[in-house]
Structure formats: C-alpha cells, structure tokens
Amino acid sequence: MHNKTLISVAVELPLKRTFTYKVPETLLEQVAVGKRVLVPFGKRVITGFCVGFIEKTEVKSLKDVLDILDDEPIFDEKRLKFFQWLSSYYFAPLGEALSLACPSWTNIKSQRYFFPTEELFDYQEKLSPLSQALFELILAKKGISLAHLLKTFKGKSIYNAINRLKQEKLIREEVKIKGKIGERTETFASLASECNYETFKRKAPIQAKIIAYLSEKGETSLKSLRNELGAIDSALKKLQQRGLIALIQRKAPRNPLEDILPQKLSHKLTYEQEKALSAISHGLKSNAFSPFLLYGVTGSGKTLVYLKAMEEAVDLGKKAILLVPEISLTLWPVKYLTAMFPGRVAILHSGLSDGERYDEWNRIKDGAVDIVVGARSALFAPVKDLGLIIIDEEHEPSYKQEEGVRYNARDVSLMLGKMFNLTVVLGSATPSVETFYNAQNNKITPLHLTKRVQDRPMPEVELVDMRKESQKSKVKSQTEYNKIISEKLQNLMLKNHELGYQTILFLNRRGFSNFLICNGCGYTFQCLNCNVSLTMHKGAGVLKCHYCDLSISIPEACPKCEGHQIEPVGIGTEQLEAEVRRILHKARIGRMDKDTTRKKRAHQKIVDAVDKGHVDVLVGTQMVAKGHHFPNVTLVGIVMADTSINIPDFRSSERTFQLITQAAGRAGREAFPGKVIIQTLNPDNFCLKLAIMQDYETFFKEELNNRMELSYPPFSRLINLRFEGNKEEAVKVFANKIKRFADRTLESSFKKDITILGPASAFLSKLRGKYRWHMLIKGNNIKSLHEFAEKILCESDKTIHSINLVIDVDPLTTL
Ligand SMILES: [Zn+2]
Ligand SMILES: [Zn+2]
C-alpha cells in the first residue's frame, strides 16, 4: 500500500507543471487518481484533477486539499495516459487537456468578494482618487466581486488600491464558491385519496378534469398536465388545499432529445454497403485497432452504414461515439438512433444548455447510454466499454479546435483507437488529402461506395461565367451593378418553384455586404481590433467584425470626408435572401447561417421546416452545404464559388473542391434528379472543373502533385509557431530573435531534417487587438519536429512575457 497523503494535481490553467497538495485525514478514504479536487491556489479556490500520488517532497509549506468532488473517478490510469499524450503532442497543459474530459460547467471556481465594513473613518483625505472611487462603488453596491471591479476599472491596476482599503479596514474580503449545476427536479401530481369527480363537475369543472385525468393516468408532471389541460394552476391549488391531491418533487434529467421524433429504419443495404459493413464488423469482433476510410460519393448512404455498424457494436456489448461536423447535422442520425436504441442515446454539443450537457454527461458516465452523438468534444465523453468511433465528414475543418488545446478530433480518434483497440471509421465523399493518402498506403483500410443509393444519377452540374453575366446586365440596366443571381440560375429557380421542388442557395459569407466603401474618398470601414473589414448587417443596422464581434451602428456619413456616398460592396447571405425575395416574391425563404442560428434549437427548427416542405428556398453558408438529406431539393445554386480559392493557404484548393462537391451533393438525393449551377469568376480553375465532374480522384492526384512539389503534408509534417502581442514592433523583434535561436539550434543538433519558413507577418496580421507573426517549421519526422519546437518554447519562456507563443501542431490553416 502506498502512502496517499501527498497527491499531484493538474489544474486548468496555462501552466505546464503539476502541483503537490496534502490530503487531510478526513479525505484519505476518498482520494483517488481521476477524481476532481478543490484546492487553494494563490488567493483563489479552484478545481484540479488528482493525477497521481507522491512519495515525498522537498516543498515545506504544503497546502491541504479542501474537498474531493467526485464519488467515482472521471478517468482511470489508462485514460490518463491518453490525456498525457494529448497534452504533450499538442503542447497543452495537462490540466487543460483533462478538462476536455470534464467540460467547464462541472468546474467549481471561487470568486473574491469585497464588502464594506462598519468602520468609521474619514477616508476622503487619506485615500488616492482610485481607492476612493473603488470604495464608493463597494459601498454603493454593498459588496461586489473582484471580477466586477476589474471590469469597471478596466486597464487600471486596482490591486494596490484594494490592499490599501483592506489595511484601513474599510473593506473585508470573502471568498464565495460558485459554479455548481444542480440536478433538475420536476413537480408531479397524484391523487391523495379516492374521490368521485362527478361531484365536482358542475361547480368546479377544471378540478373535475384534473381528478379525472389523474385517476386515469396516475402520477403526472405538472408540465404535462398543463400541456394537456391548459390553465390549471388555481384549480390545482384548491385541490391541494382540500387534501385531494399530493404534489411531490422528483429528479427529472433534462432531455435535449424530447422534441425529436424517432424514425424507424426501413432501408435495405446495397451490395456495396453490405461489404463495407462486414469489414467494419470484422474489425469490431477482432478487438484490435481497426481504422477505416468509408469513402462514398454524396448520396451513397454512408449514414446507413454508420447506423448498422453502431447496431453491431451494441450487439457485441460495446458502446459507440458518432461525431458530426455541425450541430444541425446531429438531427439526422439521432432520429434513427432514438428509434433503434430508445432511451440509450445521448447528445453533446455547444447548442445545449449547461444543465442539459451536465445531465447528458452524467448519463454517459453512469453507463446509461450506448450511443453518444455530438460535435468534436464529444470524443472525450466518459464512455465506458467504448468499441467504435465514427467521424462523419472527416475532412471538415470544424474538427480542429483553434484555441486552448489545439487538437484535431479526427487525428485524436485514431490515437484513442490505437491505445484502446477500437474500430475507427472516418467517412467522407471528399476525404482530406492526408486521409486518402493514408488509405492508399494501407495505413487505413479503404471501403468504397461508388454509387448513389438505388443507382440514382449524380446531379448534373453546370458552370456559369459571371464575368459575362455582369457584361449582359450592364447593357440592360446601368444601375444593376451587383449581379448576384445569373439569368440561368434565376430561370431554373422559377421553374423549380413552379414544379413544387425545393432549392438550396449556398454562399459562404454571412451578413448583407462584404464591406462598405466611401465613393468620395475611398475610405473603408475596418475593425479597430483586427486587420479586417467590417461586414454590414443591414437587418440589425450594424457593421460587425466576424473575428472579434465588435459591432458599430451603420454610419450615415463618411468619418473621413463627411460625404454621403457610402456603398456596400460584395454580397452576403442576408442580401442573397433579399434578392431571392425579389425574384420569387411568393416563395417561403429560409436562411441558415451563424446569425440565424444563435438561439437554442434554431438549427433544428430550420432543418425541420425544410424537411417538412415549409421552406421553398433555403439560403445559407457552409451550414447548408454538408450532410443534409432533403429529399425534395432538386436544385442547388453555388452563388460564388470563388470565395475560398484566392485565400493564400496551402489547403485552399482542397477546401474549395470539398465545399463545392458537398454543396452539389445536396441535389437530387431521392426520386427526382438534381441540377447544380456553379457561378464563378474563375471558370478555368482546376478544382472547379473537377468539381463539375465530381471527380475526387483526379483532384486528389493533381493536388498530391502540388503538395509533393512544395513538400507540404502528407509529404511533411508542420508545426506553426505564432507570436502574438500588443505592439507590432516588439512582436517582430521577438520573432526574429527566436528565428536566430532556431537557426543556431538547427545547425548544432537537427541538421537537414527540418526547414524553417519565415518569420513573417500573418495573413490576418492583427486579430482581437494582437499583432500576429508566424514561423512555420516543416520536417519528415514528427518526433524531431516536436523536440525542436520544445527547445524553441523553452527559449521563448525564458525571455519576454508580453509576447505569447502559440504552438499549433498539424495546423489546418496558416493564416
Ligand atoms: Zn469619404
Ligand atoms: Zn475585429
């Protein structure tokens, strides 16, 4: 038996090391690796994770653990190893990596509060103006949190002033603990004694109705009583006063799936689907790491293979996780899964309330579910007996987390699979170049679905050269400067609407216009915090930054020349919606983008409306382009195919090809054949040409050649080092200094394995007030790349603290 009095704790703070705490005798019984502990940290109280026991320590004044927060460990030693790998691979603190296992809503944090004392003191003469202002606010509010004070006195250093007030005994400090989400309860009503509702009928008809209902159905929640019988509250009260009914509180977990209508699976597997399924089930039965790429054209029925594979897994006593790239895409599989596994499906994504996520997470942890469906972070759900992970649309960039632990859920799922002997299925019609390359080299087993279900034809795709369109429109009317929808697309939309079919229009830019320009002096409206233009949102009457959310009202005059010739340039989904309304005034139009889906369940409402045929034309960003299966959509218009082509990033061709092929794939998925119009200013671009033919494999070959020539992934591995700081010159100087260190280190110990590109100012040279420079390191051996980056990180830690070094391993973009 080892000594359990000293434990090592990882905290969710940007600190690389772990900390040692003493376990008081009262908690010795409960302490275990994998449990969360409440510990003092500086002046705060925070949540940490117990990650091990320690024999002895040199540190003298050890602090005590205050509390142990879990009855059962959240992770075991084996899972801990996985999180340790995650932490070291992505250069993230262990505490941050572990917090992925246990999202922040279960974190308990303390807050410092200040209250006025009763002390009589003539403060006005002795205090500095800042202390005085602080004190007056604390007095006025009768107590206030430190966070609130910091917000109010933004940019001022208030700690000294606070200490002064404390010394003068004008205020006292208290630590309050917050952040615990309680269990949800509901009130249920039942009959307290036998009674005859006939006697009530004439005098109190509502009371009679309640009694009749309860005697037939038994105990019922007040919520469903109200739903069934309408306004009943005063009648209920009277019944309760008479002692005829009893009200009782019961635990009632929040259920995010309560609005979902389960749907029975009636489809039969095709020969190709059958073959794919049997390979996956072979993997499941082998109990060994079995990675697959399910590569199938759009409409080939990948979802059916996923569902059947999950059924196989559950039959074998295993559990499964299905990841989808967008919240709205959880709805499709969940409809079937809730019918296949009633009550045994959980859903996890950021569209749920904190309470819902908390309850779902607990159900998963307690083993009450077999299937978890969710966005990328659902990969870390505490699923016991996990056997299968499915990553749908594995090429999607939304699987990469771009802050905190910068992991890619697709890559991490493969490591999880290796460590826990799982079957991992990556699915896509347009696999990422890396994944397809790995499948060709048999690191991942390819499973190919070459045909659409029931041999339905692929949609017919046509390119429209918008350069010619704008010439045409100039002849017709001088004022029509901004042609959005070509004649061709417009005619097809009209015809499609007449025939009663649905249309999807895809434009990967939200808002009304791309930016505003003053025609008098050329002034453009830029964000104050970022080096990007503000986008006009006409409906909301504001100019908005899509990176930092800065928002200002649309100005009437130009701030530079005071002229009134301000004009919007470029189009967004808001304007596209208005244009569709102009063309098809009687059509019912839906819009799906970040602006229309902020509210809870908003995704679900839009998808349901299209599914039920309540929407004729759906306009939207990439949210409409992927994964959806709307049987009645026969026309897809890609309004501006060029938005992503010209972005200076080595993945921009791949991204463009994927987006267009995915969007095109929404057309003609059931009985009616589909048609796709791609509008572009670059009709000769190779990825557009190949997207017309839906020819992934030729695209892959061309792209692979490009990557080989430039030695980009999959022919190398990348780590991006980004330097961020408030002063541009300081960032530049620091980046160059690190570059010189890197050159010396390379010379002495790494030689020709590694190439350094940069440093240079990033494409997005300023974001959220921080200037950005970056340096890309490239090499064939990820191990030596890691060692090299580690050396640079150590060097950077030694020097200035005003500049932040962000390390992005296997970056998706280098903007
Ligand atoms: Zn101007
Ligand atoms: Zn901004």
Side-chain angles (χ1 to χ4, degrees):
M1 256 292 286
H2 57 200
N3 191 354
K4 283 188 163 184
T5 47
L6 296 179
I7 59 168
S8 171
V9 173
V11 295
E12 193 194 342
L13 291 170
L15 297 165
K16 275 170 92 183
R17 48 177 291 232
T18 53
F19 297 85
T20 305
Y21 284 91
K22 219 163 60 193
V23 184
E25 214 155 296
T26 47
L27 296 175
L28 272 178
E29 287 263 301
Q30 299 165 46
V31 71
V33 168
K35 288 188 182 181
R36 288 170 306 145
V37 291
L38 204 61
V39 289
F41 195 89
K43 287 201 168 173
R44 291 178 295 165
V45 174
I46 58 172
T47 307
F49 302 91
C50 172
V51 294
F53 296 99
I54 289 173
E55 284 303 315
K56 55 181 171 196
T57 174
E58 301 294 302
V59 187
K60 292 251 161 60
S61 56
L62 280 180
K63 287 185 177 159
D64 272 0
V65 170
L66 301 175
D67 199 4
I68 290 172
L69 299 173
D70 297 302
D71 300 332
E72 293 291 320
I74 291 172
F75 49 85
D76 57 15
E77 302 265 0
K78 205 172 160 196
R79 274 244 153 180
L80 176 60
K81 284 219 170 67
F82 162 72
F83 283 106
Q84 277 161 340
W85 167 81
L86 190 72
S87 148
S88 78
Y89 187 84
Y90 289 106
F91 292 92
L94 180 58
E96 281 189 6
L98 284 169
S99 71
L100 293 168
C102 159
S104 56
W105 36 259
T106 47
N107 257 8
I108 295 172
K109 279 187 183 126
S110 67
Q111 259 200 331
R112 294 168 71 184
Y113 273 82
F114 299 101
F115 296 92
T117 56
E118 307 290 303
E119 209 76 16
L120 286 174
F121 178 73
D122 182 18
Y123 61 86
Q124 257 144 356
E125 282 158 31
K126 291 188 185 169
L127 293 180
S128 69
L130 180 61
S131 304
Q132 197 174 316
L134 276 167
F135 181 60
E136 271 163 19
L137 185 63
I138 293 169
L139 208 59
K141 294 267 176 195
K142 294 179 183 146
I144 196 167
S145 70
L146 176 65
H148 198 146
L149 287 178
L150 285 168
K151 226 180 184 171
T152 315
F153 294 88
K154 219 175 177 173
K156 291 199 178 102
S157 163
I158 60 172
Y159 292 99
N160 278 340
I162 288 174
N163 282 339
R164 178 77 203 279
L165 291 172
K166 269 163 68 182
Q167 274 163 19
E168 300 287 355
K169 293 204 168 70
L170 283 168
I171 59 170
R172 65 187 166 82
E173 185 176 335
E174 228 176 72
V175 172
K176 285 189 176 179
I177 291 180
K178 65 163 214 172
K180 231 178 178 171
I181 290 174
E183 272 165 348
R184 177 167 165 268
T185 58
E186 245 187 272
T187 311
F188 286 77
S190 60
L191 288 183
S193 57
E194 282 290 317
C195 77
N196 187 358
Y197 63 86
E198 293 291 340
T199 53
F200 288 90
K201 254 188 170 168
R202 221 155 11 106
K203 272 189 182 164
I206 300 176
Q207 293 180 41
K209 255 204 289 190
I210 295 171
I211 292 173
Y213 191 90
L214 291 178
S215 61
E216 193 198 324
K217 306 254 171 167
E219 188 179 283
T220 309
S221 76
L222 292 194
K223 194 180 161 195
S224 4
L225 265 185
R226 287 191 193 105
N227 280 345
E228 293 293 322
L229 306 178
I232 50 167
D233 286 28
S234 66
L236 267 179
K237 209 170 175 188
K238 279 184 194 133
L239 285 171
Q240 198 196 0
Q241 281 162 356
R242 289 172 157 177
L244 292 172
I245 62 163
L247 297 180
I248 186 169
Q249 297 278 325
R250 283 195 195 288
K251 215 167 102 175
R254 305 159 183 95
N255 180 12
L257 297 176
E258 65 189 353
D259 303 337
I260 302 270
L261 272 185
Q263 201 168 321
K264 279 249 153 39
L265 207 58
S266 56
H267 314 63
K268 269 193 125 174
L269 291 173
T270 63
Y271 173 69
E272 284 181 338
Q273 287 171 325
E274 195 82 63
K275 247 174 69 184
L277 180 66
S278 106
I280 295 168
S281 106
H282 192 76
L284 282 167
K285 284 175 191 147
S286 75
N287 293 322
F289 172 49
S290 317
F292 295 99
L293 167 63
L294 182 61
Y295 161 52
V297 295
T298 55
S300 61
K302 291 185 288 292
T303 307
L304 187 59
V305 178
Y306 301 153
L307 295 171
K308 290 284 183 188
M310 286 188 266
E311 199 168 55
E312 293 257 7
V314 173
D315 283 347
L316 292 167
K318 300 177 181 205
K319 296 184 162 61
I321 295 176
L322 166 64
L323 296 191
V324 293
E326 290 265 347
I327 294 174
S328 63
L329 293 176
T330 54
L331 300 168
W332 301 103
V334 158
K335 276 202 277 193
Y336 294 110
L337 288 166
T338 44
M340 291 163 74
F341 311 99
R344 307 281 299 169
V345 181
I347 185 168
L348 272 185
H349 57 66
S350 58
L352 306 181
S353 69
D354 283 354
E356 283 172 338
R357 268 192 283 177
Y358 177 78
D359 285 348
E360 290 292 84
W361 187 82
N362 272 321
R363 285 173 64 219
I364 298 167
K365 192 167 140 261
D366 296 344
V369 299
D370 293 317
I371 309 285
V372 177
V373 182
R376 63 172 179 252
S377 63
L379 183 64
F380 304 105
V383 182
K384 281 172 203 144
D385 308 314
L386 183 62
L388 173 66
I389 302 174
I390 299 169
I391 314 276
D392 189 23
E393 316 284 357
E394 65 84 30
H395 61 276
E396 281 294 334
S398 56
Y399 286 124
K400 178 82 163 45
Q401 175 145 304
E402 295 291 0
E403 54 194 22
V405 188
R406 292 177 166 73
Y407 68 92
N408 187 324
R410 181 214 34 222
D411 303 341
V412 173
S413 75
L414 292 171
M415 181 47 91
L416 199 62
K418 244 183 229 169
M419 288 174 101
F420 288 81
N421 296 316
L422 311 177
T423 295
V424 180
V425 179
L426 310 179
S428 179
T430 52
S432 62
V433 171
E434 283 98 324
T435 300
F436 202 70
Y437 184 74
N438 283 337
Q440 283 197 331
N441 293 298
N442 287 319
K443 281 189 186 161
I444 299 177
T445 312
L447 306 169
H448 199 169
L449 306 177
T450 58
K451 291 182 193 131
R452 283 193 153 187
V453 175
Q454 293 181 354
D455 276 334
R456 277 169 206 140
M458 295 301 286
E460 188 192 319
V461 188
E462 205 177 313
L463 212 70
V464 173
D465 185 346
M466 291 304 277
R467 295 172 304 184
K468 288 181 192 153
E469 283 291 317
S470 66
Q471 278 160 10
K472 258 194 265 172
S473 65
K474 257 177 208 150
V475 181
K476 262 195 277 173
S477 107
Q478 285 295 332
T479 52
E480 202 179 354
Y481 62 93
N482 210 350
K483 187 99 190 173
I484 301 174
I485 295 175
S486 61
E487 248 179 66
K488 178 114 210 174
L489 180 54
Q490 182 168 333
N491 291 336
L492 284 169
M493 280 167 63
L494 288 165
K495 202 171 129 208
N496 211 41
H497 184 55
E498 250 168 51
L499 293 171
Y501 295 134
Q502 291 166 302
T503 300
I504 288 182
L505 294 184
F506 161 58
L507 172 62
N508 210 8
R509 194 188 277 148
R510 65 194 170 96
F512 185 84
S513 79
N514 199 14
F515 57 92
L516 282 186
I517 188 164
C518 168
N519 274 337
C521 71
Y523 181 86
T524 55
F525 293 78
Q526 299 274 318
C527 177
L528 295 170
N529 309 316
C530 315
N531 186 14
V532 296
S533 310
L534 295 173
T535 304
M536 177 158 96
H537 289 248
K538 203 174 179 181
V542 292
L543 299 181
K544 232 190 232 171
C545 172
H546 286 179
Y547 289 90
C548 73
D549 263 350
L550 175 98
S551 155
I552 56 171
S553 46
I554 298 174
E556 281 176 15
C558 168
K560 200 173 155 202
C561 72
E562 290 172 10
H564 288 266
Q565 307 169 53
I566 301 173
E567 246 180 46
V569 179
I571 50 166
T573 42
E574 195 187 340
Q575 189 173 167
L576 181 59
E577 185 188 355
E579 182 66 8
V580 174
R581 198 147 296 197
R582 194 183 63 78
I583 296 171
L584 285 165
H585 17 262
K586 283 194 185 140
R588 295 159 302 175
I589 303 163
R591 173 152 67 94
M592 181 147 74
D593 56 30
K594 225 174 164 180
D595 298 311
T596 62
T597 52
R598 278 186 210 280
K599 283 203 190 113
K600 224 183 128 193
R601 308 238 204 284
H603 292 99
Q604 192 174 332
K605 277 187 195 141
I606 300 173
V607 170
D608 278 348
V610 182
D611 203 25
K612 288 187 184 130
H614 299 160
V615 165
D616 301 313
V617 182
L618 177 65
V619 170
T621 54
Q622 51 178 319
M623 281 182 191
V624 303
K626 47 191 148 188
H628 298 292
H629 180 85
F630 298 121
N632 215 23
V633 169
T634 53
L635 175 63
V636 168
I638 296 164
V639 176
M640 196 160 33
D642 314 287
T643 44
S644 55
I645 290 180
N646 298 320
I647 295 172
D649 189 82
F650 76 96
R651 279 184 222 271
S652 66
S653 295
E654 180 183 347
R655 203 55 209 121
T656 305
F657 181 85
Q658 283 162 347
L659 267 174
I660 290 175
T661 311
Q662 292 289 341
R666 296 315 107 208
R669 295 173 70 91
E670 293 251 325
F672 324 110
K675 171 107 189 161
V676 180
I677 296 293
I678 303 178
Q679 303 189 147
T680 177
L681 297 169
N682 295 286
D684 297 325
N685 182 283
F686 89 97
C687 62
L688 291 188
K689 280 186 165 165
L690 292 170
I692 297 176
M693 293 182 278
Q694 310 260 298
D695 184 355
Y696 174 79
E697 270 152 74
T698 308
F699 169 79
F700 172 77
K701 269 182 213 142
E702 292 245 0
E703 185 62 16
L704 204 63
N705 280 336
N706 294 341
R707 301 277 181 96
M708 191 169 356
E709 239 164 67
L710 299 165
S711 164
Y712 269 117
F715 299 100
S716 68
R717 302 294 289 269
L718 303 177
I719 295 182
N720 194 28
L721 307 168
R722 197 166 62 233
F723 308 95
E724 298 178 345
N726 295 328
K727 293 202 176 93
E728 191 172 16
E729 187 58 25
V731 174
K732 183 180 159 186
V733 167
F734 185 69
N736 281 312
K737 195 178 149 202
I738 292 292
K739 164 74 157 94
R740 286 192 295 277
F741 169 80
D743 280 341
R744 285 198 303 276
T745 314
L746 203 59
E747 189 87 358
S748 62
S749 35
F750 289 90
K751 293 188 182 125
K752 282 184 183 140
D753 286 1
I754 291 169
T755 334
I756 304 174
L757 301 176
S761 175
F763 176 71
L764 294 165
S765 58
K766 189 186 175 197
L767 269 192
R768 296 173 202 99
K770 302 262 187 228
Y771 291 91
R772 296 148 52 97
W773 274 62
H774 60 189
M775 191 167 103
L776 199 61
I777 56 177
K778 197 154 88 169
N780 284 318
N781 185 334
I782 189 72
K783 229 180 181 169
S784 59
L785 266 185
H786 256 98
E787 282 164 24
F788 185 55
E790 184 70 49
K791 286 212 157 80
I792 290 175
L793 183 63
C794 287
E795 176 68 13
S796 148
D797 280 349
K798 265 190 258 168
T799 39
I800 325 179
H801 287 285
S802 63
I803 287 161
N804 191 19
L805 170 58
V806 174
I807 300 190
D808 191 358
V809 182
D810 305 326
L812 264 199
T813 72
T814 52
L815 298 176

